[in-house]
Amino acid sequence: MRRFSRRGAMAASAAGALLATSPLFAQTRRQSMTDTIITNARITTLDRENPRAQALLISDGRFAVVGSEAEVRAAAPDAKIIDAGGRRLVPGLIDSHIHVIRGGLNYNMELRWDGVPTLVDAMAMLREQVDRTPAPQWVRVVGGFTEHQFSEKRLPTLDEINAAAPHTPVFILHLYDRALLNAAALRAVGYTRDTPNPPGGEIQRDASGNPTGLLLAQPNATILYATLASGPKLPPDYQKNSTRHFMRELNALGVTTVIDAGGGFQNYPDDYAIIEELHAEGLLTLRIAYNLFTQKPREELADFAGWSTQVRPGQGDDLYRHNGAGEMLVYSAADFEDFRVARPEMPPNMESDLEPVVRLLAENRWPWRLHATYDETISRALDVFEKVHRDIPLDRLNWFFDHCETISDRSIDRIAALGGGIAVQHRMAYQGEYFLERYGHRAAEATPPVAKILRAGVPLGAGTDATRVASYNPWVSLAWLVTGKTVGGATLYPVANRLDRETALRLWTEANTWFSSEQGKKGQVKAGQLADCILLSDDFFEVPESEIAHIRSDLTILGGKVVHGSGEFEPLAPELPRPMPDWSPVASFGGYHQLDLLQQGAATCCCARSCSVHDHDHAAALGSFIPTADPRGFWGAMGCSCWAV
């Protein structure tokens, strides 16, 4: 759980009031930050020729000067000035694998358990959201958490969910292994004793044959996707609002660029209309490069053939651009990563399905990405890639594999020979315990072997695979790369497969530009590059390893414009409309769980005993002083009456 920052809520409020009247910040919230200087910063540039600086000048959306304060001030004596207050400044973070377009359409409908420390807390949130959700809407907890993060080390039971929500449909997705539905949700989707199991999935039943509410991916997640897709959708204006809130949530964590990996039930171009409207209206606060994901088995080649006549890689601008194909290329090559079950065998027709798609993409010079968890799948795909490469060279195409948890040294070398790359995600941080249980500690020591991949010279980048598996919080990924631990505290990797902090940060910045063919354009604080940077709430290079996952951004700048500010920088940030609908979980709980965002003023919880809401002691679990503006902010909303202002 996030500790209370040394820049507490009262100090931030006072500083914010002072800042709002300061002539140094006499600008509107929406004004471009052309000719802006940031001073008094500890700048990690990731530019090896100029690794550290204390000030920078932004002009026309790019870094103009990066160096000493004297150099920067001399270059633009009339520029607006932001005092960083000694904070660490780093390049804006780049997520090379996230499902932001689909996630944005649904974000305002989802109750996020990302980072929630106990099942008691999670269920209290669920009960509160059930009370505020009108019929026929659902309460959805859609990924981003694992049972291992809870102190209880378990998921809620179906009885507990039904007791919390006797009438409101509840859908809880846990990784890609299962979904929990209450009785109301079963009725809403129409699952009965006569409903057959779909291919690749199981509807668990009781002794009488009636569905219990547990859906299992056996071995793929189609049943989970399809069931979720049957729920109510937000209308377009609400989807637009939802996408803006999701982008701002990512900005608050320091993310400035994402590569969208497509996704199931994310059809092109229909499901891209909202993000394209936001782009046209100048409301994007992320740079987005998007890949196209085929939607129908046995129609993959037709999808890509049609799309190749509609759009080309690189089409767009620095904010919104097409990036190629994948992560699904053909359904026969999709080895879903449920480590609770045995590795799925890809069918014998995998190669014959994959080759014409890869050949078409190579002929049209489309980069691609391919979801592949296991080396057995990667090796067979490489057989196809090497065959196509003999006719159409694949190097300089910036194609890559995603995930690669069990990739072998031989496959790494084959990828290097073909000029490909590897993008890794912190899925093991969320399901590493399952891998350990099935395969043992020795097998888990290099899943994936990030250090070996780097030594082999293969382009390597990092991402989250959010929102339905791991969380979208990049600092959880950075903590995983540095510590080698799961969010549940299990140690996966020896020192040899962990990264130092600078190398890990490079995988989240400079290195990820390769995966969208934008090397040299961003990812460093360097003169001439796009001015994307963040001021950190706590110093990534100095905090204990256990604190890395709790870092946030105090100020996020995209192309010279402030897109997020907190504390003293909040007045610089553009206003964001309230979440729509008004019952949205985002309005009550926000996104990734952390105490600092859930409180806004200065009050204390005087509960130093067991509270009726919790089965744990407040003082021990939360600390004695919990600032809040409103007793109904988070714990108050949970029903805690032990508040004193």
Side-chain angles (χ1 to χ4, degrees):
M1 184 172 293
R2 179 148 165 70
R3 71 195 186 289
F4 185 58
S5 171
R6 60 185 173 85
R7 295 180 293 278
M10 292 180 67
S13 177
L18 179 63
L19 179 70
T21 61
S22 170
L24 295 179
F25 294 92
Q27 59 180 319
T28 66
R29 288 174 179 263
R30 298 180 184 277
Q31 184 176 351
S32 170
M33 292 181 62
T34 299
D35 292 335
T36 297
I37 288 174
I38 299 178
T39 64
N40 191 20
R42 290 182 287 174
I43 302 175
T44 298
T45 67
L46 298 183
D47 174 6
R48 289 184 170 87
E49 296 180 356
N50 181 31
R52 288 174 294 278
Q54 59 185 188
L56 58 84
L57 168 65
I58 297 171
S59 183
D60 294 326
R62 294 181 180 270
F63 298 118
V65 181
V66 181
S68 70
E69 184 168 336
E71 291 173 316
V72 170
R73 285 182 180 270
D78 297 325
K80 303 174 185 71
I81 297 175
I82 294 177
D83 186 333
R87 292 171 178 81
R88 178 72 61 181
L89 185 148
V90 301
L93 303 183
I94 300 171
D95 191 330
S96 62
H97 186 134
I98 190 172
H99 301 272
V100 73
I101 295 174
R102 182 184 66 191
L105 300 179
N106 300 292
Y107 178 70
N108 278 3
M109 290 193 295
E110 296 174 354
L111 178 66
R112 305 302 306 183
W113 282 354
D114 303 42
V116 174
T118 75
L119 181 59
V120 167
D121 299 335
M123 290 300 293
M125 294 168 68
L126 180 69
R127 286 190 293 272
E128 170 69 14
Q129 189 57 42
V130 166
D131 288 344
R132 72 174 68 248
T133 302
Q137 297 293 336
W138 297 11
V139 175
R140 313 168 199 227
V141 181
V142 186
F145 78 99
T146 172
E147 63 179 318
H148 306 295
Q149 79 191 39
F150 297 141
S151 61
E152 298 90 341
K153 302 298 182 184
R154 69 174 181 88
L155 292 175
T157 66
L158 291 168
D159 286 343
E160 288 170 333
I161 297 169
N162 279 300
H167 307 296
T168 302
V170 171
F171 177 99
I172 299 175
L173 177 68
H174 180 259
L175 307 174
Y176 270 153
D177 62 6
R178 71 197 105 164
L180 304 174
L181 280 67
N182 67 346
L186 288 173
R187 291 192 296 270
V189 298
Y191 289 168
T192 70
R193 63 181 301 157
D194 299 321
T195 304
N197 285 335
E202 178 186 345
I203 303 171
Q204 192 180 73
R205 304 168 195 273
D206 62 20
S208 301
N210 296 308
T212 63
L214 177 62
L215 308 182
L216 298 174
Q218 298 280 16
N220 66 58
T222 301
I223 186 175
L224 312 181
Y225 270 139
T227 304
L228 180 60
S230 65
K233 293 180 173 59
L234 292 174
D237 56 334
Y238 286 33
Q239 289 180 334
K240 200 175 200 178
N241 177 281
S242 177
T243 299
R244 292 185 67 185
H245 276 272
F246 188 33
M247 289 192 297
R248 183 66 69 91
E249 168 76 352
L250 292 171
N251 296 153
L253 291 164
V255 179
T256 55
T257 291
V258 298
I259 306 178
D260 186 275
F265 295 87
Q266 184 178 330
N267 293 286
Y268 183 82
D270 296 349
D271 292 326
Y272 292 70
I274 297 297
I275 204 72
E276 291 182 355
E277 281 184 29
L278 291 168
H279 177 231
E281 295 170 13
L283 294 174
L284 289 187
T285 62
L286 293 171
R287 303 187 191 279
I288 300 174
Y290 64 93
N291 286 71
L292 295 183
F293 184 118
T294 188
Q295 296 294 315
K296 296 179 181 178
R298 296 181 295 279
E299 296 184 24
E300 302 96 336
L301 183 61
D303 273 345
F304 290 118
W307 291 333
S308 67
T309 66
Q310 300 174 43
V311 64
R312 65 183 185 278
Q315 182 174 319
D317 56 28
D318 289 337
L319 275 174
Y320 183 71
R321 65 200 304 273
H322 177 49
N323 196 52
E327 63 182 295
M328 180 73 77
L329 295 182
V330 294
Y331 278 78
S332 55
D335 62 346
F336 283 96
E337 74 296 345
D338 182 359
F339 297 133
R340 297 178 71 243
V341 299
R343 175 181 62 83
E345 289 285 350
M346 297 300 96
N349 55 303
M350 170 184 156
E351 288 83 353
S352 60
D353 291 347
L354 186 59
E355 182 182 342
V357 170
V358 171
R359 194 170 291 276
L360 173 74
L361 296 173
E363 288 171 348
N364 286 280
R365 306 311 292 167
W366 270 47
W368 69 82
R369 61 193 309 158
L370 179 62
H371 169 115
T373 301
Y374 299 99
D375 187 62
E376 289 80 356
T377 308
I378 296 167
S379 179
R380 290 177 63 180
L382 285 169
D383 291 342
V384 173
F385 298 173
E386 288 167 346
K387 182 178 180 181
V388 174
H389 178 71
R390 289 193 286 269
D391 300 324
I392 310 168
L394 303 184
D395 53 344
R396 300 192 181 91
L397 198 52
N398 290 40
W399 64 269
F400 57 98
F401 285 103
D402 279 305
H403 313 313
C404 297
E405 276 81 4
T406 71
I407 191 170
S408 67
D409 294 356
R410 171 62 180 145
S411 291
I412 294 171
D413 291 341
R414 293 171 72 187
I415 292 170
L418 292 176
I422 297 172
V424 299
Q425 299 78 38
H426 61 309
R427 303 187 312 183
M428 285 291 289
Y430 286 82
Q431 49 188 321
E433 285 86 352
Y434 297 140
F435 192 97
L436 290 169
E437 183 179 350
R438 178 167 290 276
Y439 299 108
H441 282 271
R442 187 65 178 270
E445 288 182 350
T447 52
V450 290
K452 285 184 178 179
I453 296 168
L454 283 170
R455 287 197 298 271
V458 173
L460 177 67
T464 61
D465 198 12
T467 59
R468 294 182 178 176
V469 181
S471 175
Y472 50 75
N473 188 339
W475 300 101
V476 177
S477 169
L478 284 156
W480 164 72
L481 289 167
V482 169
T483 68
K485 292 182 178 180
T486 70
V487 296
T491 297
L492 296 172
Y493 311 137
V495 173
N497 196 43
R498 302 177 202 168
L499 302 182
D500 64 83
R501 298 191 195 200
E502 180 176 319
T503 301
L505 184 62
R506 285 186 185 277
L507 295 192
W508 265 94
T509 51
E510 175 192 15
N512 269 343
T513 62
W514 185 92
F515 297 87
S516 58
S517 302
E518 295 177 287
Q519 304 97 303
K521 182 180 287 187
K522 56 190 175 183
Q524 299 167 292
V525 180
K526 183 176 182 179
Q529 292 202 10
L530 294 169
D532 302 346
C533 58
I534 55 178
L535 287 178
L536 302 183
S537 61
D538 299 282
D539 194 330
F540 171 62
F541 292 98
E542 294 184 0
V543 297
E545 289 185 348
S546 61
E547 298 293 325
I548 292 173
H550 304 309
I551 295 173
R552 296 181 69 88
S553 173
D554 280 349
L555 180 71
T556 302
I557 293 174
L558 180 75
K561 297 180 181 179
V562 173
V563 293
H564 161 75
S566 64
E568 62 202 83
F569 301 108
E570 192 276 336
L572 297 179
E575 294 181 3
L576 190 65
R578 289 182 58 81
M580 298 165 58
D582 57 7
W583 52 263
S584 167
V586 174
S588 302
F589 304 106
Y592 194 91
H593 177 79
Q594 47 113 33
L595 287 179
D596 286 348
L597 280 189
L598 293 168
Q599 295 100 26
Q600 319 241 333
T604 59
C605 176
C606 59
C607 180
R609 56 182 172 76
S610 277
C611 170
S612 60
V613 178
H614 312 291
D615 64 359
H616 55 82
D617 184 88
H618 267 208
L622 302 176
S624 298
F625 297 96
I626 306 174
T628 184
D630 180 351
R632 284 196 57 78
F634 198 58
W635 297 119
M638 297 301 97
C640 177
S641 59
C642 306
W643 295 92
V645 179

